[in-house]
Amino acid sequence: MDKIIEYQSEIWLSIGQTFVMVGISILAAILVGLPLGTYLYLSRQGNLYENKILFSILDTFVNIVRSFPFLLLVVFLIPFTRYIIGTAIGTMAATVPLSIISIAYYARLVEQSLLDVPKGIIEAAISMGASKAQVIFKFLYVEARSGLIFGLTTATISFISYSTVMGIVGGGGVGDFAIRYGYQRFETELMTFTIIIMIILVQAIQITGTKLSKKLDKRS
Amino acid sequence: MIVLENVEKTFENVKAVYPLSLTIDKGEIHGIVGTSGAGKSTLIRMMNLLERPDNGTVRVGEQLLTSLSDKELRKARQNIGMIFQQFQLILNRTVAENVEMPLELVGMQKKERAKRIEECLRFVGIYDKKDAYPAQLSGGQKQRVAIARALANNPAVLLCDEPTSSLDPKTTTEVLQVLRHINETLGVTIVIVTHEMDVVKSICKHVSIMKDGQLVDSFEIEPQGLNDAEDHYIEDLKRIAVAKSNG
Ligand SMILES: Nc1ncnc2c1ncn2[C@@H]1O[C@H](COP(=O)(O)OP(=O)(O)O)[C@@H](O)[C@H]1O
Ligand SMILES: [Mg+2]
């Protein structure tokens, strides 16, 4: 316990850093990943905004980002990060590669959730005279909502996992704390403590996400 | 009411509908029968341009659908209800919210919507289920909700693609009664695509028969002669068989 109290300000700081990194990743996932995933779905052959070329480009982009070993992606993006944030080091800098992977990751999950919506619903929407925007917001998202929430839950947990290695660019966070203080300084107590924090965090997110997505799912 | 002129449709290599013309009169219940793959669904889906014909024109009421802009077409579709074999209800919305959808799409005020929802649900006899979700309903109840939804904006035409094909015989009869009631009391022109001869026999005034993408016959059924349609159908099949065997 002594160690934990001794390092409490560092622990709080690292928890704060994790929240910033994961929080911005979630925002990026929702603000960019959701539209991107929706467009991937819509531009697919036979769908509302069919566009073979744009679909292939975006599909390939998502695949490339997702197949990169994450640490390499971080390093590879350093010039871009520096351009956007002004520096490649620190928590804010870490949010850039995290956001990129988050967008690609969630876009794919969004696409999958939308593909699960029966085509017939969209036809019913069109037969009612719905515009494309209405089809998306009043039909597609409504029917896919539990999948979208569940996907965001899964994605958030992955973002936490990705955020743990951001110590490499000075991003800090709980994972970095566990490695630097707990592992490298042989403070087993600190390491155990931070790992328990992580487990509780992940569990809480998973349980909340699963519950919410179940509650919103009236399909059966 | 509905005039198809020389419409045709090909999917990749499959000719679903060969050029054909068909007129459906105002206020009638028109059946389109044929075996699976005959092109019935493609034909009825051309009547609201869910499927755009490769050639030919589609007129519904005063409007030439095939020449409308996207926006005008959306508006025209609000005057053409459609129901499907698989109901296609929004499963995450309640019964009332499903019927509300087309009203929302036309921008009706909330208060008016509530009134209209009640009217429509009462009309199809399912008002007591207004707060249920579709998953909690039987097939027949789901189709009633779909009918109520299709009627919400007071369409002049109701298109039905195999509306009873996933229902048992008893429920089929009930749903057909609802359709007849709609036709008789609201004067809605109804088109029913089906592979079930019984459906045609029980409510259609006019029948068209399709086979291999072609319209092989189209005729009125006498009110008394319920078996006329079947006789016609059998004769047609014979005629086609003879024609084929003759080369
Ligand atoms: N979207 C489509 N893509 C390719 N082929 C299709 C499509 N829709 C229908 N077809 C084909 O067109 C033919 C007629 O289909 P359809 O109109 O559904 O017949 P029916 O409703 O009478 O069973 C069938 O051979 C079917 O496989
Ligand atoms: Mg069909």
Side-chain angles (χ1 to χ4, degrees):
Chain A
M1 252 350 238
D2 298 350
K3 283 285 166 198
I4 296 167
I5 291 165
E6 185 185 336
Y7 284 104
Q8 75 170 289
S9 64
E10 282 90 345
I11 293 176
W12 279 115
L13 177 67
S14 67
I15 290 177
Q17 289 165 334
T18 293
F19 270 89
V20 169
M21 290 190 286
V22 175
I24 291 181
S25 302
I26 294 173
L27 268 183
I30 294 173
L31 296 180
V32 186
L34 178 62
L36 176 60
T38 306
Y39 188 75
L40 269 175
Y41 167 81
L42 294 170
S43 60
R44 186 179 273 264
Q45 192 171 15
N47 284 1
L48 231 45
Y49 286 96
E50 178 172 334
N51 185 331
K52 280 198 185 110
I53 296 169
L54 223 49
F55 174 80
S56 316
I57 293 174
L58 295 173
D59 189 56
T60 311
F61 164 77
V62 168
N63 282 342
I64 290 176
V65 171
R66 294 200 52 199
S67 52
F68 248 85
F70 184 58
L71 281 178
L72 271 185
L73 183 73
V74 174
V75 174
F76 178 79
L77 283 173
I78 282 177
F80 178 68
T81 304
R82 199 172 275 148
Y83 175 75
I84 302 245
I85 307 280
T87 168
I89 305 294
T91 305
M92 283 319 284
T95 64
V96 174
L98 277 172
S99 296
I100 302 280
I101 187 77
S102 307
I103 289 165
Y105 191 101
Y106 191 49
R108 197 54 98 198
L109 295 181
V110 167
E111 183 193 20
Q112 188 54 52
S113 303
L114 297 179
L115 283 170
D116 287 342
V117 176
K119 271 256 167 83
I121 296 274
I122 294 152
E123 294 192 332
I126 294 171
S127 78
M128 278 178 225
S131 66
K132 286 177 180 173
Q134 287 170 329
V135 172
I136 296 168
F137 289 100
K138 289 184 179 280
F139 292 80
L140 267 176
Y141 283 170
V142 172
E143 287 302 77
R145 66 189 185 188
S146 55
L148 294 175
I149 301 268
F150 194 78
L152 191 62
T153 308
T154 309
T156 301
I157 288 166
S158 297
F159 303 163
I160 293 175
S161 164
Y162 285 127
S163 79
T164 58
V165 301
M166 293 318 290
I168 175 185
V169 289
V174 181
D176 184 48
F177 179 85
I179 293 168
R180 283 197 297 136
Y181 291 83
Y183 183 68
Q184 288 170 354
R185 295 190 194 173
F186 305 104
E187 302 282 7
T188 316
E189 197 190 333
L190 276 183
M191 191 169 77
T192 315
F193 179 71
T194 44
I195 290 174
I196 289 174
I197 291 185
M198 298 286 275
I199 292 174
I200 292 174
L201 187 64
V202 168
Q203 275 289 83
I205 291 170
Q206 186 69 61
I207 290 170
T208 314
T210 307
K211 266 217 171 114
L212 185 61
S213 101
K214 270 227 180 85
K215 194 170 139 69
L216 289 176
D217 191 359
K218 309 290 185 190
R219 292 172 299 173
S220 55
Chain B
M1 188 72 206
I2 304 175
V3 183
L4 304 178
E5 264 183 71
N6 296 313
V7 293
E8 62 178 306
K9 182 80 189 178
T10 309
F11 295 107
E12 282 124 43
N13 303 319
V14 187
K15 192 96 190 163
V17 174
Y18 287 88
L20 65 81
S21 298
L22 175 65
T23 298
I24 290 167
D25 293 334
K26 193 165 169 24
E28 74 176 358
I29 301 184
H30 193 115
I32 298 173
V33 257
T35 48
S36 171
K40 309 181 295 293
S41 292
T42 307
L43 186 68
I44 197 170
R45 290 157 59 86
M46 287 199 272
M47 296 178 191
N48 61 359
L49 292 203
L50 265 187
E51 222 61 88
R52 195 174 271 276
D54 301 330
N55 279 306
T57 58
V58 178
R59 179 183 293 283
V60 175
E62 296 301 302
Q63 281 181 304
L64 194 60
L65 297 191
T66 35
S67 69
L68 297 181
S69 69
D70 278 1
K71 200 173 162 200
E72 291 166 330
L73 177 60
R74 286 206 301 275
K75 193 129 206 279
R77 279 175 175 149
Q78 288 161 1
N79 194 33
I80 309 172
M82 187 164 196
I83 61 171
F84 307 86
Q85 179 174 1
Q86 298 303 332
F87 324 120
Q88 311 303 0
L89 298 173
I90 307 164
L91 301 181
N92 280 334
R93 294 187 74 151
T94 63
V95 163
E97 287 166 349
N98 265 279
V99 179
E100 187 169 24
M101 183 55 90
L103 304 172
E104 246 175 86
L105 296 183
V106 298
M108 189 188 274
Q109 291 304 306
K110 182 101 194 157
K111 247 200 193 135
E112 274 177 83
R113 295 207 298 258
K115 219 174 93 198
R116 184 65 189 146
I117 293 165
E118 181 172 345
E119 277 170 15
C120 292
L121 287 176
R122 284 198 193 284
F123 190 85
V124 299
I126 199 159
Y127 183 68
D128 56 323
K129 296 282 181 194
K130 67 179 177 10
D131 295 320
Y133 284 92
Q136 300 165 294
L137 305 180
S138 70
Q141 291 172 326
K142 285 181 199 168
Q143 197 60 294
R144 280 165 194 265
V145 177
I147 292 171
R149 181 174 72 173
L151 290 180
N153 281 326
N154 277 313
V157 173
L158 180 61
L159 306 176
C160 314
D161 190 356
E162 305 272 6
T164 58
S165 300
S166 22
L167 305 177
D168 60 50
K170 184 172 163 288
T171 323
T172 294
T173 310
E174 286 167 15
V175 167
L176 292 179
Q177 267 164 9
V178 173
L179 292 178
R180 181 189 287 135
H181 188 50
I182 288 166
N183 173 258
E184 284 169 359
T185 59
L186 306 176
V188 174
T189 306
I190 298 182
V191 184
I192 301 184
V193 154
T194 181
H195 64 273
E196 300 167 312
M197 207 56 201
D198 286 342
V199 169
V200 170
K201 286 200 311 194
S202 68
I203 68 166
C204 296
K205 282 184 208 137
H206 200 126
V207 182
S208 293
I209 294 174
M210 276 194 88
K211 194 169 192 312
D212 302 331
Q214 283 164 313
L215 200 58
V216 294
D217 204 352
S218 192
F219 52 86
E220 297 276 341
I221 302 184
E222 298 299 324
Q224 292 87 3
L226 283 185
N227 282 321
D228 278 12
E230 201 160 56
D231 295 346
H232 251 281
Y233 187 56
I234 293 167
E235 265 173 41
D236 282 324
L237 293 184
K238 277 190 201 150
R239 195 160 46 78
I240 292 162
V242 170
K244 275 207 176 136
S245 58
N246 288 346

